[in-house]
Amino acid sequence: MSVEARTGRLRQRYDNNFRLVSGCIPYRLTKDAEDENEDIQTRIEVLMVSSPNRSDLVFPKGGWENDETVMEAACREALEEAGVRGKLNEKPLGIWEFRSKSKQDLHSLEGGCRGYMFSLEVTEELEIWPEQENRYRKWLNIQDAFQLCRYEWMREALEKFMKVMSEERKVEITEEIVEPLPKPVPDVIAECQIVSSNYCATTTSSQHHGISAIIPFHWQILKRLPLT
């Protein structure tokens, strides 16, 4: 089923003089995530896209419209601009304010944007996507992504993304090295502390009076118990 990119700003959300924008950092793990000795930064690649008539790269982003949530807008932009779907982390990396590339006059109120950025673990990469005629996509390691990223605020979002990923990895490693709790002692051992030739001493409700009950057992029953 083909998907067409949305155009125009009839549904665009605004907050005072700010145009609201939503985007994401699509990523994938390239090496075994269980390798504790491997730096998380070396196992992550991020997906960036080009803009028409420019050589530098950006992360997928675009206008947040009034018929969708901010998370839905981020997922839509990833599909339209980069042709990917995946699992979006519902907690945003942050909110950044910047100026539109077409409105760089710092003395004007026009052109201000407020961008919400998320992380998206890519699970599907489409061969055909809505804006592929105007954009190409490229998987990059973190170092190259920093160098090629056009905007300073996007580099800040990438730094925040790596901080979040590193913290999550530390939690995973901590959980992996925690030793499991010892298994419960078998009931027969817990209830029968002393076994003689024809008696088994057990703890009963009378123990709170300082008395241990001695309960006789038939030897035919006792001899079936394993000897220790």
Side-chain angles (χ1 to χ4, degrees):
M1 182 178 65
S2 62
V3 178
E4 294 184 1
R6 293 189 177 190
T7 58
R9 296 186 178 180
L10 294 177
R11 298 176 178 175
Q12 173 66 54
R13 291 178 186 257
Y14 291 89
D15 184 5
N16 293 326
N17 294 310
F18 288 97
R19 175 178 175 240
L20 301 186
V21 170
S22 183
C24 65
I25 298 179
Y27 73 95
R28 66 184 181 187
L29 297 178
T30 60
K31 294 185 179 181
D32 186 4
E34 300 300 325
D35 187 354
E36 298 179 5
N37 298 321
E38 195 76 33
D39 184 0
I40 187 67
Q41 181 168 322
T42 65
R43 299 203 310 274
I44 290 181
E45 288 183 342
V46 294
L47 185 64
M48 304 188 76
V49 297
S50 66
S51 296
N53 303 320
R54 296 186 66 105
S55 60
D56 47 9
L57 300 174
V58 297
F59 294 113
K61 69 168 181 60
W64 173 15
E65 301 190 346
N66 60 18
D67 62 342
E68 61 188 354
T69 67
V70 66
M71 293 179 291
E72 289 171 342
C75 291
R76 175 177 56 77
E77 291 296 336
L79 177 63
E80 291 179 357
E81 294 188 357
V84 292
R85 295 188 177 101
K87 300 176 182 178
L88 189 78
N89 189 330
E90 295 182 355
K91 184 177 180 180
L93 297 170
I95 304 172
W96 284 266
E97 293 182 358
F98 55 93
R99 301 193 69 78
S100 170
K101 60 180 179 293
S102 60
K103 303 289 184 179
Q104 294 296 324
D105 184 359
L106 299 180
H107 300 288
S108 172
L109 295 177
E110 188 179 2
C113 298
R114 180 176 294 141
Y116 298 76
M117 291 295 289
F118 299 83
S119 60
L120 177 80
E121 182 180 3
V122 173
T123 59
E124 183 180 5
E125 192 170 348
L126 305 179
E127 295 183 1
I128 300 175
W129 68 98
E131 297 187 19
Q132 68 181 120
E133 292 186 1
N134 298 321
R135 300 178 186 273
Y136 69 87
R137 61 191 180 190
K138 187 174 184 179
W139 286 103
L140 299 163
N141 61 42
I142 299 301
Q143 184 176 359
D144 290 343
F146 271 110
Q147 294 177 351
L148 295 175
C149 191
R150 180 192 306 174
Y151 300 117
E152 178 63 28
W153 72 269
M154 279 194 175
R155 286 191 286 271
E156 293 177 3
L158 184 56
E159 289 177 349
K160 182 62 181 295
F161 165 74
M162 287 308 305
K163 181 179 179 181
V164 170
M165 294 298 293
S166 297
E167 291 174 350
E168 289 181 354
R169 183 56 185 154
K170 288 179 182 178
V171 172
E172 291 176 0
I173 293 176
T174 301
E175 292 176 349
E176 290 172 0
I177 64 176
V178 172
E179 296 182 359
L181 295 175
K183 294 182 179 180
V185 179
D187 293 341
V188 66
I189 298 177
E191 294 181 2
C192 188
Q193 287 81 31
I194 303 173
V195 178
S196 66
S197 60
N198 57 358
Y199 286 94
C200 176
T202 66
T203 302
T204 68
S205 59
S206 62
Q207 190 173 12
H208 68 277
H209 296 296
I211 302 173
S212 293
I214 306 298
I215 303 175
F217 275 77
H218 195 277
W219 174 248
Q220 293 297 325
I221 298 176
L222 283 174
K223 72 178 182 179
R224 297 175 188 169
L225 295 174
L227 298 179
T228 57

